[in-house]
Amino acid sequence: DAGVIQSPRHEVTEMGQEVTLRCKPISGHNSLFWYRQTMMRGLELLIYFNNNVPIDDSGMPEDRFSAKMPNASFSTLKIQPSEPRDSAVYFCASSPPRDGRFPYNEQFFGPGTRLTVL
Amino acid sequence: QQPVQSPQAVILREGEDAVINCSSSKALYSVHWYRQKHGEAPVFLMILLKGGEQKGHDKISASFNEKKQQSSLYLTASQLSYSGTYFCGTEKGGSQGNLIFGKGTKLSVKP
């Protein structure tokens, strides 16, 4: 099975530009998470979707950040306008519904997108 | 509400043991452990649930003290492949696996 797919893997942009990060969760998973990782702040949860519905977006830093999940197989995280302090690695993760095979809420992380805003 | 991990970093020789601690200021219902190797994504190791249920990992075990709101990860007879940063995560309310991660413990295993 393919794991979580993220694109692009690397993004370099200039301050003020719009950035869109993409994620395809593992098929059959019903929860999706966006994280940001920096040396200073560690791994921070930005937003969490369950069955395509945003459940908790309290981690979204400010209105410049927005996330959507139009269907079960695709999600985007958009930053508009981008700033140098947004430079980080952004991870998308998905987790399956609890059942006999996956009785726990383990999360499967994608490879991440390394964003650099100049 | 971010859990606190200790130590921040540890260096071991192959074959040595290590303990990584995770504590929280709020009541815990579960503790999740992940490992992240340099330049890679975090990978799930195990979960410990209130009541003692857990999912284990070969040669890596953990404990969960609900009263003390603490969990400890035990790495026995460490191997080079154990190197990486270990994160504990606690659920941010509810039971959907919405996690808050600690800042991590960097483990380096030397030959």
Side-chain angles (χ1 to χ4, degrees):
Chain A
D1 282 342
V4 175
I5 299 172
Q6 291 187 245
S7 65
R9 294 293 308 276
H10 301 273
E11 177 80 30
V12 180
T13 191
E14 293 188 345
M15 183 173 63
Q17 296 298 306
E18 177 180 298
V19 174
T20 299
L21 311 181
R22 296 173 177 81
C23 174
K24 177 178 170 56
I26 294 172
S27 177
H29 285 196
N30 68 337
S31 294
L32 184 139
F33 309 83
W34 281 102
Y35 292 92
R36 176 173 67 178
Q37 186 174 39
T38 61
M39 288 294 292
M40 290 297 294
R41 301 174 69 91
L43 193 59
E44 302 173 276
L45 177 66
L46 300 178
I47 187 168
Y48 151 56
F49 292 87
N50 184 253
N51 293 323
N52 312 338
V53 176
I55 303 299
D56 183 355
D57 65 354
S58 59
M60 296 286 263
E62 46 197 275
D63 292 345
R64 297 185 297 107
F65 285 69
S66 63
K68 293 182 180 179
M69 191 165 186
N71 57 61
S73 59
F74 184 65
S75 177
T76 59
L77 178 68
K78 185 178 292 186
I79 308 172
Q80 165 63 16
S82 58
E83 297 182 2
R85 60 192 168 121
D86 302 330
S87 297
V89 179
Y90 290 80
F91 287 105
C92 173
S94 68
S95 67
R98 281 183 176 172
D99 59 21
R101 187 177 171 212
F102 292 104
Y104 311 102
N105 288 322
E106 53 191 279
Q107 296 183 20
F108 296 79
F109 281 74
T113 295
R114 181 173 294 277
L115 174 66
T116 303
V117 183
L118 303 174
Chain B
Q1 294 185 343
Q2 183 180 42
V4 177
Q5 291 185 233
S6 63
Q8 289 185 318
V10 59
I11 300 175
L12 296 175
R13 293 284 182 192
E14 259 187 303
E16 292 181 339
D17 302 338
V19 180
I20 299 172
N21 300 303
C22 174
S23 63
S24 174
S25 60
K26 70 180 186 83
L28 296 176
Y29 296 95
S30 68
V31 178
H32 303 230
W33 287 96
Y34 285 75
R35 176 171 65 203
Q36 183 179 28
K37 300 204 173 203
H38 182 69
E40 298 181 7
V43 174
F44 175 79
L45 288 177
M46 66 172 60
I47 182 173
L48 298 103
L49 301 174
K50 191 174 182 179
E53 186 180 2
Q54 65 174 285
K55 175 178 178 178
H57 186 279
D58 186 34
K59 291 189 178 179
I60 299 176
S61 61
S63 64
F64 182 20
N65 187 321
E66 298 160 31
K67 284 187 178 179
K68 292 187 176 180
Q69 297 165 186
Q70 292 178 345
S71 176
S72 295
L73 190 71
Y74 305 95
L75 298 104
T76 305
S78 58
Q79 305 169 10
L80 296 176
S81 61
Y82 285 8
S83 294
T85 301
Y86 290 77
F87 294 94
C88 69
T90 56
E91 290 190 7
K92 185 184 173 186
S95 60
Q96 296 299 316
N98 186 355
L99 300 176
I100 302 175
F101 285 99
K103 291 201 170 179
T105 295
K106 186 174 181 180
L107 177 73
S108 300
V109 181
K110 308 290 186 186

